Amino acid sequence: MAEKKSKRPADQFRLPPHSDESRQAAIRMAEWKRRPKLPQRRVLLGGFSLFLLCVGMALALWLPSQSLVHDLRSRGVTAVATVVGVDSEPTYVRVRLVSGTEAGTEVKLSDYAGMYPDTHTGKSMLVTYDPKEPSRILAQNWVANPPPNLPTYGTSALAFVFLGLTVTVLLRRRWVLRTFGVRLTSR
């Protein structure tokens, strides 16, 4: 006949020593988490400097073009010109003014954010130039309705991407430092 087990109250029950040790070891291992790699400060500095570089490039492409268009709209003189020379790439477009106060003057067309109008030698076109400085000259339709400034748009988009990535890395760094008990002033 089998012996009857005595019922003990729950507060008197104890686990065998080997299972209690393994349970405590499992609790200690669950508390211990490996800290993820901390994003370094130089990564933050590099991302922010790339953002500033892109902003500077966008401004360098946008401000001179907008200044030229604004000046030609306010005090520019419209004249007829004949295209004298065009480079194949085009890196320059030379025109000779046919009408206006500067008639007969040959000048190089100003670029708009590195772009020149699509034209060929011998073609006539309307241009607007600054009477005080005839070397500041653009095609008349570009003064009235400037073309899209794609280099500026591209560098502005890159600036926002770099800023977003830098903010993301900064927030991750702060989260790692706060979550894993490392002071913010360390390293």
Side-chain angles (χ1 to χ4, degrees):
M1 200 161 238
E3 279 184 36
K4 241 181 172 178
K5 291 188 179 182
S6 64
K7 290 191 174 185
R8 294 184 203 164
D11 59 341
Q12 291 180 357
F13 181 75
R14 291 187 188 172
L15 287 172
H18 67 278
S19 64
D20 189 38
E21 289 171 6
S22 64
R23 183 178 57 84
Q24 287 176 358
I27 290 172
R28 282 193 305 269
M29 290 302 289
E31 289 175 358
W32 182 79
K33 291 181 189 173
R34 196 173 167 154
R35 183 176 91 180
K37 189 172 180 182
L38 185 66
Q40 297 178 350
R41 288 182 180 165
R42 66 181 176 197
V43 173
L44 292 170
L45 185 61
F48 190 69
S49 60
L50 285 173
F51 162 72
L52 290 178
L53 177 70
C54 286
V55 166
M57 287 174 46
L59 289 176
L61 290 170
W62 184 65
L63 289 178
S65 304
Q66 288 301 95
S67 173
L68 177 63
V69 167
H70 178 70
D71 289 346
L72 292 178
R73 281 181 184 167
S74 64
R75 65 174 183 256
V77 175
T78 303
V80 177
T82 303
V83 178
V84 176
V86 177
D87 190 14
S88 61
E89 296 196 3
T91 55
Y92 71 89
V93 175
R94 295 193 66 79
V95 295
R96 179 177 294 124
L97 298 173
V98 177
S99 66
T101 58
E102 300 289 328
T105 306
E106 192 172 303
V107 291
K108 183 178 162 189
L109 217 60
S110 300
D111 67 303
Y112 182 83
M115 299 182 293
Y116 292 96
D118 187 24
T119 186
H120 58 280
T121 306
K123 186 176 179 183
S124 295
M125 65 187 318
L126 287 174
V127 294
T128 303
Y129 66 93
D130 189 352
K132 295 179 182 176
E133 192 178 342
S135 63
R136 297 186 65 180
I137 184 170
L138 271 180
Q140 196 271 332
N141 58 349
W142 282 21
V143 173
N145 187 16
N149 196 340
L150 297 178
T152 302
Y153 298 155
T155 53
S156 299
L158 277 176
F160 284 118
V161 167
F162 285 128
L163 180 63
L165 290 174
T166 303
V167 168
T168 303
V169 170
L170 176 67
L171 293 176
R172 176 164 169 74
R173 179 180 170 85
R174 289 183 57 90
W175 174 78
V176 167
L177 290 174
R178 287 189 180 190
T179 303
F180 294 97
V182 180
R183 296 181 323 157
L184 287 174
T185 57
S186 69
R187 189 158 191 248

